[in-house]
Amino acid sequence: MGQADAARVGAALPKIDALEDVPAFTDVRPSDEQRAAFEAFCAAAETPGEMHLGCVVRLDRGFPLVVTAERMLRAEHAVGFAKQDKEKGDGLLPAVGDWVALRLAPGHDMGVIERVLPRRTVFERWRGKNRGERQVLCANVDAILVVQPLGAGEVLLGRIARSLVLAADCGAEPIVVLTKADRCSEEEREGEVARVRRLVGGGVRVVVTSSATGEGLDGVRACVPAGTCSMILGESGAGKSTLLNTLLGHDALETGAVRARDDAGRHTTVARVMVKLPGSCGVVTDAPGLRSLPLVGHERGLARAFPEIVEASRGCRFNDCTHTHEPGCSVRAAVEAGEIDELRLEVFKGLASEMRVSAQSLDPDIHL
Ligand SMILES: Nc1nc2c(ncn2[C@@H]2O[C@H](COP(=O)(O)OP(=O)(O)OP(=O)(O)O)[C@@H](O)[C@H]2O)c(=O)[nH]1
Ligand SMILES: [Mg+2]
Ligand SMILES: [Zn+2]
């Protein structure tokens, strides 16, 4: 983005002074590797004295807000980024949570992001036409809060499973948060929690919340301790921003009503925004609701999210067994022996077949 564009967009951005709950430098801590990478970058830079280590804590319409040890400032990308973008997709463009080398020339109040420092973890989804094209949703993230609302029919298990696969692929801990508990009966809620439990097994935390009654807030707080960064993920209208506002204790983030007809949101949140929760809690990134989470190239995540199924499939007679009708299928045998939950297998099969189709259509040389 050139200076003129930057000025035009900049004028429409929220004023820095008016922003609340922005994490401080000490809330987001770089790793030792990131510090070392920054030192190495400075050592080779022409103007090392102008370089600052910073964290991207907001993206408003793609426009970064960076926090350094000294201050908070808007930043633009160095000219080189536009070229990298064309060659490699947007993998190297700064995402929320990224640690960057920021150049601040004397007398300027806008920084220039010169380099994105190596990421500890990357939470990303496929976007575009080719296998490699990915959108980084959050960098250096420790946990993903997978949100699904209660009280609008059955919780979407497929959607939760997809989110689990993406989180597993990036090495972040998935935590399921069922919001809007005030909208359903005790019986319905128990049923939904049991279904979710069956899907995710005992190793994933499930928290039931209501921003209307305050239920479950301590449960969420316990999942996002100080020093950690989480991202909140879910469809528009799921109550993500409302939950964060409730945890913050005031309306820092914009929220919007859902459609009565189908409970769908209106894509109220448009920026990616990190907020520091009060007290001994960490940082959470609010993000726009995502309509889709296509599974393209998440073989590793699928294997990590469904380890017992992948393990059992090693015993199947056919390498490409789909665990549906083939003879000598160890996975179906394990289901019949009560060792694998049938519900998990059903969800796994849906995701695996989607991934086989996408892998073949996008890149015919790659087989699952
Ligand atoms: N009854 C009830 N309504 C809630 C609760 N949490 C959120 N809502 C309502 O759900 C609607 C959507 O909430 P938001 O927080 O804007 O949803 P979001 O997930 O941030 O949506 P996007 O920003 O569009 O992705 C609003 O009308 C909220 O008041 C809750 O716990 N109980
Ligand atoms: Mg929102
Ligand atoms: Zn099989």
Side-chain angles (χ1 to χ4, degrees):
M1 179 172 332
Q3 288 285 353
D5 289 344
R8 191 158 39 76
V9 176
L13 297 176
K15 295 271 168 290
I16 290 189
D17 295 343
L19 296 176
E20 298 174 287
D21 311 295
V22 181
F25 190 77
T26 45
D27 294 323
V28 277
R29 307 243 180 98
S31 69
D32 291 346
E33 287 76 18
Q34 286 159 342
R35 274 189 192 281
F38 175 67
E39 298 300 334
F41 177 78
C42 290
E46 276 174 33
T47 52
E50 295 179 2
M51 295 300 173
H52 300 263
L53 178 58
C55 183
V56 178
V57 294
R58 282 180 75 106
L59 281 179
D60 295 280
R61 304 165 184 217
F63 211 83
L65 180 76
V66 177
V67 161
T68 71
E70 291 85 28
R71 57 184 289 200
M72 176 160 80
L73 71 170
R74 294 256 173 229
E76 56 183 337
H77 307 135
V79 182
F81 274 110
K83 219 168 69 216
Q84 291 178 3
D85 189 13
K86 285 203 190 76
E87 286 163 10
K88 299 178 186 163
D90 73 357
L92 287 171
L93 284 174
V96 163
D98 258 324
W99 286 94
V100 297
L102 186 78
R103 186 164 62 80
L104 185 54
H108 283 62
D109 59 0
M110 187 167 329
V112 177
I113 295 176
E114 297 285 341
R115 177 69 60 91
V116 174
L117 301 170
R119 291 163 175 160
R120 198 160 51 76
T121 60
V122 195
F123 188 66
E124 52 188 5
R125 69 162 175 169
W126 173 78
R127 188 182 60 177
K129 295 194 176 62
N130 301 313
R131 194 177 163 87
E133 285 177 44
R134 295 185 172 275
Q135 174 189 25
V136 176
L137 300 173
C138 197
N140 301 310
V141 65
D142 300 293
I144 306 294
L145 303 175
V146 178
V147 173
Q148 274 279 307
L150 290 167
E154 289 194 338
V155 164
L156 303 176
L157 294 185
R159 176 79 190 203
I160 294 180
R162 244 164 234 286
S163 311
L164 255 49
V165 168
L166 262 59
D169 212 3
C170 116
E173 181 190 355
I175 295 154
V176 178
V177 180
L178 301 177
T179 52
K180 310 195 188 185
D182 57 281
R183 297 200 307 179
C184 73
S185 68
E186 192 64 29
E187 186 188 357
E188 183 183 345
R189 162 218 180 109
E190 273 171 27
E192 291 303 320
V193 171
R195 285 175 72 236
V196 171
R197 253 292 148 238
R198 227 183 123 186
L199 171 71
V200 303
V204 174
R205 292 191 266 187
V206 179
V207 187
V208 177
T209 68
S210 164
S211 298
T213 66
E215 174 185 357
L217 297 180
D218 282 339
V220 177
R221 289 188 185 103
C223 294
V224 293
T228 64
C229 286
S230 305
M231 190 190 117
I232 193 157
L233 176 73
E235 288 98 328
S236 177
K240 303 181 295 294
S241 304
T242 306
L243 176 63
L244 294 178
N245 281 341
T246 312
L247 291 162
L248 289 167
H250 64 120
D251 289 344
L253 303 162
E254 200 183 333
T255 60
V258 293
R259 282 198 304 233
R261 178 164 56 83
D262 57 2
D263 209 49
R266 298 156 200 251
H267 292 276
T268 306
T269 301
V270 290
R272 297 182 185 282
V273 177
M274 277 185 158
V275 289
K276 162 74 173 80
L277 300 186
S280 57
C281 291
V283 169
V284 182
T285 300
D286 189 20
L290 295 178
R291 287 187 194 87
S292 74
L293 292 175
L295 289 188
V296 179
H298 288 287
E299 288 82 2
R300 185 184 57 184
L302 188 68
R304 284 183 182 167
F306 295 89
E308 80 286 21
I309 296 176
V310 172
E311 178 68 26
S313 73
R314 296 210 177 93
C316 293
R317 186 178 306 165
F318 301 109
N319 263 343
D320 56 354
C321 186
T322 58
H323 323 306
T324 46
H325 56 273
E326 296 87 344
C329 173
S330 303
V331 173
R332 283 210 325 280
V335 171
E336 271 147 42
E339 291 158 14
I340 287 178
D341 191 314
E342 196 168 5
L343 177 82
R344 274 177 63 79
L345 178 59
E346 283 312 308
V347 173
F348 172 90
K349 286 198 298 203
L351 299 182
S353 92
E354 175 187 327
M355 239 154 64
R356 254 193 307 271
V357 170
S358 66
Q360 275 160 13
S361 61
L362 289 164
D363 188 345
D365 295 326
I366 292 177
H367 300 288
L368 274 176

